[in-house]
Amino acid sequence: MAKWTPKHEAPEPLEGPVVATITGGTVLWFVLFLVQLPFYGWFDDHGHTWWLWTCLAGGGLGLIGIWYVRKRDAALKRSAAAPGPDPDPAT
């Protein structure tokens, strides 16, 4: 098993506009659902109604994702603003 052990540290995670990215993806899922909705009959006739429900589920999960990343972003900002502990209490 030793040959599969990583030989270097993992890189730091990339940070970016996470809230905007998740919001954009969620809007895209809902738009795809709304665009396909008028064609429900065709999807039903061909056995592809799961396409619509997949888009709706993506939008619903995206709403949960927006809630989560907004809470995470607020927690990161609170953590950065909070005064940290004294690194050397002996001085």
Side-chain angles (χ1 to χ4, degrees):
M1 280 290 190
K3 69 179 184 176
W4 298 108
T5 304
K7 299 188 186 303
H8 52 81
E9 292 290 322
E12 290 294 319
L14 297 174
E15 290 295 328
V18 180
V19 176
T21 303
I22 301 299
T23 302
T26 302
V27 168
L28 182 63
W29 279 116
F30 279 125
V31 167
L32 287 172
F33 173 74
L34 291 175
V35 165
Q36 293 177 3
L37 197 56
F39 304 102
Y40 183 85
W42 184 89
F43 286 117
D44 193 32
D45 292 344
H46 292 86
H48 295 303
T49 54
W50 64 271
W51 288 9
L52 280 89
W53 308 128
T54 300
C55 293
L56 187 61
L61 290 172
L63 291 175
I64 295 170
I66 292 170
W67 172 80
Y68 178 81
V69 296
R70 289 185 70 205
K71 292 283 189 181
R72 178 183 176 269
D73 194 40
L76 289 173
K77 287 179 183 175
R78 276 194 314 272
S79 175
D86 188 9
D88 187 12
T91 56

